[in-house]
């Protein structure tokens, strides 16, 4: 029973990390040997999972990459106009950051103002000019000592959301184009999609939303969100973890998603709900 529990805890740890966490060494050297051997077996099995994954689409952060064996094909993700809209959106973000828990430094305000005035504006230009005008107006008010940040943010927010709609339209168009090409080469039911993104953008992330709708399933099996992993080997390693842990969950518990959450979660709920 003790050995079984140790093995299950090992699998739970592997499910949540690509690099094994540093652990306190057990007093029993035999347990240490078991831990090391089982981890090595797990790593080898993950490598086999990656090798047998079949066609994979890696989405982000700056392009879409289709991998099928030795074949690789890359597609655009977010055209230049997308990044220009993103740059304009960073002006209000920068202003909020300057005001956050401080009086904004004069030199920083001037620096941001000068940069804003030199920034190329994407279409529709009148909307971008309005964002710039509201932002430089806030800067001028701050320099004069009477800035109204809440009013500025209420006025600029609808403009930012309109820009977000335009940016989403561009990204979805790129996803459509890439998917259309992938459809010609493989059955989408065999496809694994790895979506690369940051922690704060994870909920409702546009590519994840797109592929959940396309494939008719939620993230976790054929769709994997690679949070904060910015190199392809790490992204594919995470896919291997998902594939292997799905097999573990199905084999032991009849649920391919069971190892996608802490092994102790059900036990914790039972114990804490009883308090």
């Amino acid at each position: 029973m003790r050995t079984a529990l140790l093995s299950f805890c090992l699998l739970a740890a592997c499910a949540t990390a690509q690099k094994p966490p540093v652990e306190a060494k057990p007093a029993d050297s035999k347990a240490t040997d078991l831990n090391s051997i089982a981890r090595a077996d797990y790593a080898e099995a993950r490598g086999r999972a990656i090798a047998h994954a079949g066609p994979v689409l890696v989405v982000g952060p700056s392009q879409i990459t289709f991998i099928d064996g030795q074949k690789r094909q890359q597609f655009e993700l977010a055209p230049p106009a997308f990044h220009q809209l993103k740059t304009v959106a960073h002006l209000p973000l920068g202003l909020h950051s300057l005001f956050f828990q401080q009086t904004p430094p004069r030199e920083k305000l001037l620096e941001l103002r000068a940069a804003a005035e030199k920034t190329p504006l994407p279409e529709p230009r009148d909307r971008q000019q309005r964002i710039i005008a509201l932002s430089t107006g806030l800067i001028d008010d701050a320099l004069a000592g009477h800035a109204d940040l809440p009013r500025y943010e209420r006025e600029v927010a609808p403009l930012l959301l309109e820009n977000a709609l335009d940016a989403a339209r561009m990204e979805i168009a790129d996803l459509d184009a890439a998917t259309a090409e992938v459809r010609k080469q493989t059955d989408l039911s065999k496809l694994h999609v790895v979506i690369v993104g940051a922690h704060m953008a994870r909920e409702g992330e546009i590519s994840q939303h797109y592929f959940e709708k396309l494939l008719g399933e939620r993230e976790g099996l054929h769709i994997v969100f690679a949070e904060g992993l910015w190199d392809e080997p790490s992204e594919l390693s995470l896919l291997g973890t998902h594939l292997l842990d799905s097999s573990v969950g199905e084999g032991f518990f009849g649920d391919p998603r069971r190892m996608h959450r802490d092994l102790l979660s059900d036990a914790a709920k039972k114990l804490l709900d009883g308090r």
Side-chain angles (χ1 to χ4, degrees), residues 218 221 245-261 266:
R218 61 190 175 91
L221 297 179
D245 284 6
S246 293
S247 176
V248 170
E250 180 67 45
F252 285 102
F253 308 112
D255 179 3
R257 294 181 179 272
R258 181 59 186 87
M259 299 304 291
H260 293 198
R261 55 191 172 91
D266 291 347

Side-chain angles (χ1 to χ4, degrees), residues 62-205:
S62 59
Q63 62 190 10
I64 302 170
T65 305
F66 178 57
I67 305 169
D68 191 4
Q70 297 301 312
K71 181 172 66 177
R72 295 174 61 89
Q73 190 173 0
Q74 293 184 328
F75 306 94
E76 177 186 72
L77 179 63
F82 175 96
H83 295 286
Q84 291 174 339
L85 288 172
K86 185 175 179 180
T87 297
V88 172
H90 283 165
L91 173 57
L93 175 64
L95 277 170
H96 184 95
S97 301
L98 283 180
F99 277 84
F100 183 67
Q101 297 182 349
Q102 69 170 3
T103 299
R106 179 182 178 85
E107 64 277 11
K108 291 289 187 179
L109 289 169
L110 292 172
E111 179 183 44
L112 193 59
R113 193 187 205 288
E117 291 173 344
K118 294 185 294 185
T119 298
L121 300 182
E123 296 294 338
R125 287 180 60 85
D126 58 342
R127 188 194 304 154
Q128 317 316 318
Q129 289 168 343
R130 179 64 177 153
I131 294 171
I132 297 294
L134 287 170
S135 301
T136 55
L138 178 70
I139 291 173
D140 291 341
D141 288 346
L143 293 171
H146 53 77
D148 187 343
L149 180 65
R151 178 180 175 181
Y152 160 78
E153 292 181 335
R154 287 193 300 271
E155 290 179 339
V156 82
L159 303 174
L160 296 177
L161 291 178
E162 289 180 40
N163 274 3
L165 183 61
D166 288 342
R169 189 176 291 112
M170 294 176 197
E171 185 164 345
I172 288 173
D174 280 345
L175 292 170
D176 280 341
T179 301
E181 288 299 315
V182 170
R183 279 182 188 273
K184 298 175 184 177
Q185 303 173 54
T186 190
D187 182 346
L188 291 187
S189 66
K190 300 177 181 178
L191 183 68
H192 287 93
V193 181
V194 180
I195 298 164
V196 183
H199 171 73
M200 294 301 286
R202 178 167 186 157
E203 185 175 347
E205 200 276 341

